[in-house]
Amino acid sequence: MKIGILISGRGSNMLAIVEAVQSGLIPASEVTVVISDKTSAEGLLKAKERGIETLAVTRKGRTCEEHDAEIIAELKKRNVELICLAGYLRLLSKEFISAFPNQIINIHPSLLPAFKGLDAQRQAIEYGVKVSGCTVHFVDVALDHGAIIAQKTVEVKDDDTAESLAARILEHEHALYIESVKRIAEGKIKIVGRRVGLVKN
Ligand code: GRF
């Protein structure tokens, strides 16, 4: 399975997936390309150091659709079959979603549908929830809305700040994202409407 990863920044989830693929934990797969919408994304260098092709495709004053068209073309050119969003800070156009049906997944640092959008960990702290976590889900046209593949709960402690909660959630994000990509690579995921389940052998 050819995987493309889209990032905008640090790229720790991207790196976790790259390492899981390179160590064979995610079978029969390769990370074919890492694309960032920001030339300065730290993750680009980390990917390059691991021998992965990297591209910066910036918006350059274009519309979302024009920008996405270039990214779609780069992914199609490389026959990418699964696209992992990993801290990619842009909404995808409907053209992007329909170019890769059920082939785009994302990780979000809350238990969706709670706390969609930016700063989910701060939203959780400010709301006062006792439990938060992370979610891997398919991407559709609505923000943080697509069918849920996997979730992991993380306790919110009394003295947590947005930063300390984010750090604790992040440790679980990496494992959850790897597990989800592995299930997809093994063909073990079935989708019925909004419900994503495991294929029984
Ligand atoms: C993660 O918290 C992820 O859940 C969210 O953006 C952050 C990206 O972190 N979508 P990194 O770039 O993977 O380190």
CSV table of all heavy atoms in Angstrom, one decimal, residues 119-126 159-169:
chain,number,residue,atom,x,y,z
A,119,ASP,N,-7.0,23.6,18.5
A,119,ASP,CA,-6.8,23.7,19.9
A,119,ASP,C,-7.8,22.9,20.7
A,119,ASP,O,-8.4,23.3,21.7
A,119,ASP,CB,-7.1,25.2,20.4
A,119,ASP,CG,-5.8,25.9,20.8
A,119,ASP,OD1,-4.8,25.1,21.1
A,119,ASP,OD2,-5.7,27.1,20.8
A,120,ALA,N,-8.0,21.6,20.3
A,120,ALA,CA,-8.9,20.7,20.9
A,120,ALA,C,-8.6,20.4,22.4
A,120,ALA,O,-9.5,20.3,23.2
A,120,ALA,CB,-8.9,19.4,20.1
A,121,GLN,N,-7.3,20.4,22.7
A,121,GLN,CA,-6.9,20.1,24.0
A,121,GLN,C,-7.2,21.2,25.0
A,121,GLN,O,-7.7,21.0,26.1
A,121,GLN,CB,-5.4,19.8,24.1
A,121,GLN,CG,-4.9,18.7,23.2
A,121,GLN,CD,-4.4,19.2,21.8
A,121,GLN,OE1,-4.8,20.2,21.4
A,121,GLN,NE2,-3.5,18.4,21.2
A,122,ARG,N,-7.0,22.5,24.5
A,122,ARG,CA,-7.4,23.7,25.3
A,122,ARG,C,-8.9,23.7,25.4
A,122,ARG,O,-9.4,24.0,26.5
A,122,ARG,CB,-6.9,24.9,24.6
A,122,ARG,CG,-7.1,26.2,25.5
A,122,ARG,CD,-6.4,27.4,24.9
A,122,ARG,NE,-5.0,27.1,24.6
A,122,ARG,CZ,-4.0,27.2,25.5
A,122,ARG,NH1,-4.3,27.4,26.8
A,122,ARG,NH2,-2.8,26.9,25.2
A,123,GLN,N,-9.7,23.4,24.4
A,123,GLN,CA,-11.1,23.3,24.5
A,123,GLN,C,-11.5,22.3,25.6
A,123,GLN,O,-12.5,22.6,26.4
A,123,GLN,CB,-11.8,22.9,23.2
A,123,GLN,CG,-11.6,23.8,22.0
A,123,GLN,CD,-12.4,23.3,20.8
A,123,GLN,OE1,-13.5,22.9,20.9
A,123,GLN,NE2,-11.7,23.2,19.7
A,124,ALA,N,-10.9,21.2,25.6
A,124,ALA,CA,-11.2,20.2,26.6
A,124,ALA,C,-10.9,20.7,28.1
A,124,ALA,O,-11.8,20.5,29.0
A,124,ALA,CB,-10.4,18.9,26.4
A,125,ILE,N,-9.8,21.3,28.2
A,125,ILE,CA,-9.5,21.9,29.6
A,125,ILE,C,-10.5,22.9,30.0
A,125,ILE,O,-11.0,22.9,31.1
A,125,ILE,CB,-8.0,22.5,29.5
A,125,ILE,CG1,-7.0,21.5,29.3
A,125,ILE,CG2,-7.8,23.4,30.8
A,125,ILE,CD1,-6.7,20.6,30.5
A,126,GLU,N,-10.8,23.8,29.0
A,126,GLU,CA,-11.7,24.9,29.4
A,126,GLU,C,-13.1,24.4,29.7
A,126,GLU,O,-13.8,25.0,30.5
A,126,GLU,CB,-11.7,26.0,28.3
A,126,GLU,CG,-10.4,26.8,28.3
A,126,GLU,CD,-10.2,27.8,27.2
A,126,GLU,OE1,-11.1,27.9,26.3
A,126,GLU,OE2,-9.1,28.4,27.2
A,159,ASP,N,-4.5,19.1,37.6
A,159,ASP,CA,-3.5,20.1,37.4
A,159,ASP,C,-3.0,20.2,35.9
A,159,ASP,O,-2.1,20.9,35.6
A,159,ASP,CB,-2.3,19.9,38.3
A,159,ASP,CG,-1.7,18.6,38.1
A,159,ASP,OD1,-2.2,17.8,37.3
A,159,ASP,OD2,-0.6,18.3,38.7
A,160,ASP,N,-3.8,19.6,35.0
A,160,ASP,CA,-3.4,19.6,33.6
A,160,ASP,C,-3.5,21.0,33.0
A,160,ASP,O,-4.5,21.8,33.4
A,160,ASP,CB,-4.3,18.7,32.8
A,160,ASP,CG,-3.6,17.4,32.5
A,160,ASP,OD1,-2.3,17.3,32.4
A,160,ASP,OD2,-4.3,16.4,32.3
A,161,THR,N,-2.6,21.4,32.2
A,161,THR,CA,-2.8,22.6,31.3
A,161,THR,C,-3.0,22.0,29.9
A,161,THR,O,-2.9,20.8,29.7
A,161,THR,CB,-1.5,23.4,31.3
A,161,THR,OG1,-0.4,22.5,30.7
A,161,THR,CG2,-1.1,23.9,32.6
A,162,ALA,N,-3.4,22.9,29.0
A,162,ALA,CA,-3.6,22.5,27.6
A,162,ALA,C,-2.3,21.8,27.1
A,162,ALA,O,-2.4,20.8,26.4
A,162,ALA,CB,-3.9,23.7,26.7
A,163,GLU,N,-1.2,22.3,27.5
A,163,GLU,CA,0.1,21.8,27.0
A,163,GLU,C,0.4,20.4,27.6
A,163,GLU,O,0.8,19.5,26.9
A,163,GLU,CB,1.3,22.7,27.4
A,163,GLU,CG,1.3,24.0,26.6
A,163,GLU,CD,0.2,25.0,27.1
A,163,GLU,OE1,-0.3,24.9,28.2
A,163,GLU,OE2,-0.2,25.9,26.2
A,164,SER,N,0.2,20.2,28.9
A,164,SER,CA,0.5,18.9,29.5
A,164,SER,C,-0.5,17.9,29.0
A,164,SER,O,-0.2,16.7,28.7
A,164,SER,CB,0.5,19.0,31.0
A,164,SER,OG,-0.8,19.3,31.5
A,165,LEU,N,-1.8,18.3,28.8
A,165,LEU,CA,-2.8,17.3,28.3
A,165,LEU,C,-2.4,17.0,26.8
A,165,LEU,O,-2.4,15.8,26.4
A,165,LEU,CB,-4.2,17.9,28.3
A,165,LEU,CG,-5.3,17.0,27.7
A,165,LEU,CD1,-5.4,15.7,28.5
A,165,LEU,CD2,-6.6,17.8,27.7
A,166,ALA,N,-2.0,18.0,26.0
A,166,ALA,CA,-1.6,17.7,24.6
A,166,ALA,C,-0.5,16.7,24.6
A,166,ALA,O,-0.5,15.8,23.7
A,166,ALA,CB,-1.2,19.0,24.0
A,167,ALA,N,0.5,16.9,25.5
A,167,ALA,CA,1.7,16.0,25.5
A,167,ALA,C,1.3,14.5,25.8
A,167,ALA,O,1.7,13.6,25.2
A,167,ALA,CB,2.7,16.5,26.5
A,168,ARG,N,0.3,14.4,26.8
A,168,ARG,CA,-0.1,13.0,27.2
A,168,ARG,C,-0.9,12.4,26.1
A,168,ARG,O,-0.8,11.2,25.8
A,168,ARG,CB,-0.8,13.1,28.5
A,168,ARG,CG,-1.1,11.7,29.1
A,168,ARG,CD,-1.0,11.7,30.6
A,168,ARG,NE,-1.0,13.0,31.3
A,168,ARG,CZ,-2.2,13.7,31.5
A,168,ARG,NH1,-3.3,13.2,31.2
A,168,ARG,NH2,-2.1,14.9,32.1
A,169,ILE,N,-1.8,13.2,25.4
A,169,ILE,CA,-2.6,12.7,24.3
A,169,ILE,C,-1.7,12.2,23.2
A,169,ILE,O,-1.9,11.2,22.6
A,169,ILE,CB,-3.7,13.7,23.9
A,169,ILE,CG1,-4.7,13.9,25.0
A,169,ILE,CG2,-4.4,13.2,22.6
A,169,ILE,CD1,-5.8,15.0,24.6
